[in-house]
Amino acid sequence: MIDQASKTLKDVFGFSEFRQSQKAIIGNVLDKKNTLAIMPTGGGKSLCYQIPALLFDGLTVVISPLISLMQDQVRQLHALNIPSCVLNSSLSTLEYQDNLQAIGEQRCKLVFLAPETALQNSVIELLRCVTVACIAIDEAHCISEWGHDFRPEYRQLNRLLEHFPSAVCIALTATATPRVRSDIKRQLLIPDNSEFIASFDRPNLYLEVLPKDNPYQQATRFIQLHPEQSGIIYCLSRKQVDELSSKLRADGYSVVGYHAGLSSAKRNEAQERFIRDDVHIVVATIAFGMGINKPDVRYVLHYDLPKNIEGYYQQIGRAGRDGLSADCLLLFGYGDTGKIRYFIDQISDEQEKRLATGHLNQMLALAETDTCRRLPLLQYFAETLQNENCAKCDNCCNEAKQKSDLTVAAQKFLSCVYRTGERFGASHIIDVLRGSNAEKILQNQHNLLSTYNIGNEYSKKQWMVLSRQLLQKGLLSQDEQFGGLRLTQQAADVLKGNTPFFAQLQHATVSSKTSSSPAQPGDPALVQILKAERKRLADNDNIPPYAVFADRTLNEMAYYFPHSSPSLLQIHGVGQAKLDKYGEIFLRLISTYCQQNNLQEVSNGQTLSKTVKSSSQTSVKTSGKTLEIIYAFEGGDDIEALATQHKVKAATINKHLYDYVVAGNCLTQPERLLRASKLSQIEIDRVLTTFEQHGTERLKPIYDGLNSQINYEQLHLLRVYFLQHKSAEI
């Protein structure tokens, strides 16, 4: 059935290939095996039950925690002509009865329910009258009491599975620690070999942390880097949301506020205006976002420090769901830490308080780290970072920051952990080091230790920063339940003086390099025309613009200029349903624009040119990111500028140029590669001759053949030129 799934992916949804893990997950569900799918926010979880729903005989029941989330999915499914409905309190009595009838008459392929609704006797009896083929549980972390958003009603969903034993169950979530995953599997009887964990990394998100200094000015500067693009600003308190949104509005920004203190009608209005592109910015507390599936959010700004990594991950995950680049900026001030600690102090349960403190410390470690931002982020989800330099965060892209030799300080801290019995938290260790006379220290006679009062060279705040870096770098581990610190094997090398310890105690004060890199390669004027038409159609159909076509789809249209239905079907996100509904309208707009500007259709994967390249060679389809780079390069941007703009190394830009030409495409100005190499004509001729002799598959023989006189960056450029030159001769 997986072949049918691939066909459905293209014909219905308009996608030519599955994302990571999707194919394996869908195959497991189609084999009727209960499945747990852990996928990043924006990773394409919904397709993992939508495609099986279309292939199964019978109904798929989708459990979802939020009305807005259900409504959004149903609207998108209707735009694809997929019969689906929802049962919740937002419906009128007549609408509710109509949907009950549609389910009973088996006219729906998917029905969306809140867990409370799904467990009602009347609903269960209704579902007994039809064939329930699949039960999909979205936001499955809500099942576990160890999850960040535990909901008791989710805990009872195993009863639903008992009522429909022949239905396959798929549980999906974006945020689940190993402990939460284990709990979900136990509750829903999912075997270990049916757990699929996609990478938690979102490589299209650029992560940055800046010291909070005049936050309003920093926020507006960040917004200005994303003109007329959708963005979310998260604040810690309702008061902050009201103040910031009012100030931004007064300064002329298109903004709306959202928090739990607003009436339900006000919240719905704010969300709808944002989803429908009537406003560009929403300023919100964490109450906003779970029901949002808007794919074209280009930035997320944290005005205040999040309480934990899970919340931070979920919130930045609302950016760049279309797979295009998006920016995530956190303004980090230690004053925010005090506010969060105040909230934690109000917690009466001691174990819950310890957990909240541990979560805050993990978040602080991410904010303070001097290594790749993704390291502590992925460590939280028990995932190992594959590359020490992600090339998509401030620490990896900025010049190396000066670190201090803190070996002696680390030895003092580690020694104190050891001498106090490896059972106390960082705060207690620091109090011992700084010679505190606190009752707990005197009771334990820690004032008699050799490490007592030997650490007054640093403030308590600085020692806390050091403790988090020791944890992050693996020299300490922390008891999850009680917060006690323990030495790891790595700590021994530092204690013995065999390994130095370098780190930063002060958060570096850097200026933001975040920039609004173009999210598309399409003709800008045509993109705007297509967006205007998309908005008109969406408003007429009472759906969000992205339910018509995503930004990526419009940008590909404005790059390839499709003139026929078969050509339009080659565009990402265009399936038969969208073609039937909107194809003629968009083809007419594209054709008119091309006539007015003397443009012709570009063969999918071919060169960005005013004319179609005539070649019998079949091109490999080129990625959107490569096309984005090529469009800017062809427009005049040099390689250094593109590297800075996209926050990558020059070698990465060279790789995109290489991939483009290898796919059978041609650059319109290949001689720019020769100029970029900064080599003389004699040197260029030598390099090209050496490529003739040794081929282009590997650069090492070329480098050696030229006696190491030409560097690899120059060889990369000339290889691209050579490949295009040879292609033109064929």
Side-chain angles (χ1 to χ4, degrees), residues 70-292:
M70 302 181 209
Q71 291 172 328
D72 188 57
Q73 287 219 34
V74 169
R75 285 188 295 198
Q76 292 189 63
L77 290 170
H78 285 172
L80 295 167
N81 293 335
I82 297 173
S84 52
C85 69
V86 62
L87 295 179
N88 60 38
S89 58
S90 71
L91 303 176
S92 67
T93 303
L94 182 60
E95 288 172 327
Y96 198 93
Q97 289 301 318
D98 285 346
N99 287 352
L100 288 176
Q101 187 173 350
I103 295 167
E105 294 174 357
Q106 303 185 56
R107 288 188 280 110
C108 280
K109 292 299 293 180
L110 298 101
V111 58
F112 290 79
L113 308 171
E116 305 93 328
T117 306
L119 293 168
Q120 289 176 5
N121 291 333
S122 59
V123 172
I124 289 173
E125 287 307 311
L126 171 68
L127 295 177
R128 283 185 187 279
C129 298
V130 300
T131 301
V132 176
C134 178
I135 297 173
I137 301 175
D138 204 4
E139 308 296 344
H141 58 271
C142 297
I143 287 175
S144 175
E145 59 187 338
W146 305 109
H148 72 281
D149 194 23
F150 170 58
R151 303 191 181 198
E153 58 273 15
Y154 257 75
R155 197 80 170 166
Q156 303 170 45
L157 288 175
N158 53 6
R159 285 171 41 207
L160 193 63
L161 305 189
E162 292 169 5
H163 285 294
F164 302 98
S166 63
V168 64
C169 173
I170 175 171
L172 310 103
T173 180
T175 53
T177 60
R179 190 176 194 178
V180 171
R181 298 200 293 265
S182 178
D183 200 13
I184 294 170
K185 286 186 292 183
R186 184 172 57 82
Q187 287 287 316
L188 301 178
L189 305 177
I190 297 172
D192 288 338
N193 62 3
S194 285
E195 177 182 23
F196 297 85
I197 305 174
S199 172
F200 284 89
D201 189 19
R202 293 282 306 282
N204 61 316
L205 301 185
Y206 181 79
L207 309 182
E208 181 171 22
V209 178
L210 283 178
K212 186 184 280 190
D213 176 27
N214 195 336
Y216 184 75
Q217 186 180 62
Q218 289 173 302
T220 53
R221 180 171 177 267
F222 186 62
I223 293 168
Q224 287 161 8
L225 293 170
H226 302 83
E228 296 190 7
Q229 293 181 331
S230 295
I232 304 172
I233 302 176
Y234 281 105
C235 298
L236 196 59
S237 69
R238 299 175 186 181
K239 181 181 178 183
Q240 185 72 74
V241 168
D242 291 337
E243 290 177 354
L244 181 57
S245 57
S246 295
K247 193 169 183 181
L248 287 170
R249 198 176 300 111
D251 286 343
Y253 291 96
S254 173
V255 61
V256 68
Y258 185 107
H259 58 69
L262 299 173
S263 67
S264 177
K266 285 281 188 185
R267 292 198 304 275
N268 289 338
E269 180 190 0
Q271 183 165 296
E272 283 295 305
R273 290 182 68 196
F274 182 64
I275 286 175
R276 294 175 183 273
D277 291 343
D278 293 329
V279 294
H280 295 133
I281 306 165
V282 60
V283 181
T285 59
I286 59 171
F288 176 82
M290 186 182 267
I292 296 298

Side-chain angles (χ1 to χ4, degrees), residues 18-25 39-40 43 197-201 203:
F18 288 107
R19 296 192 195 180
Q20 61 161 337
S21 300
Q22 279 182 330
K23 190 172 185 177
I25 292 167
M39 301 175 74
I197 305 174
S199 172
F200 284 89
D201 189 19

Side-chain angles (χ1 to χ4, degrees), residues 504-644:
Q504 289 177 314
L505 288 188
Q506 301 297 333
H507 190 72
T509 54
V510 295
S511 59
S512 172
K513 287 189 177 181
T514 304
S515 65
S516 178
S517 55
Q520 69 278 336
D523 184 300
L526 180 55
V527 168
Q528 292 309 311
I529 292 170
L530 299 180
K531 280 189 173 182
E533 182 62 18
R534 177 181 68 174
K535 182 76 169 78
R536 186 187 70 79
L537 291 168
D539 288 346
N540 286 345
D541 291 347
N542 195 31
I543 56 176
Y546 59 78
V548 177
F549 287 124
D551 277 7
R552 176 178 172 183
T553 304
L554 298 188
N555 294 318
E556 285 197 18
M557 289 181 189
Y559 179 86
Y560 292 112
F561 309 122
H563 278 46
S564 65
S565 294
S567 295
L568 195 57
L569 277 172
Q570 294 300 309
I571 300 295
H572 175 89
V574 181
Q576 192 61 48
K578 295 284 183 77
L579 179 69
D580 294 342
K581 196 167 187 178
Y582 305 117
E584 186 179 334
I585 297 169
F586 282 84
L587 284 171
R588 186 169 60 249
L589 287 173
I590 294 166
S591 178
T592 300
Y593 184 83
C594 288
Q595 288 173 14
Q596 292 171 346
N597 294 275
N598 194 28
L599 298 169
Q600 296 181 26
E601 181 171 347
V602 175
S603 181
N604 217 330
Q606 296 279 15
T607 179
L608 177 66
S609 170
K610 303 303 181 186
T611 59
V612 181
K613 176 188 174 187
S614 58
S615 170
S616 60
Q617 182 180 7
T618 302
S619 286
V620 179
K621 183 156 182 170
T622 310
S623 75
K625 172 55 71 175
T626 295
L627 292 176
E628 180 182 340
I629 299 293
I630 296 302
Y631 182 78
F633 181 77
E634 298 281 51
D637 288 358
D638 61 29
I639 290 168
E640 290 76 14
L642 285 168
T644 301

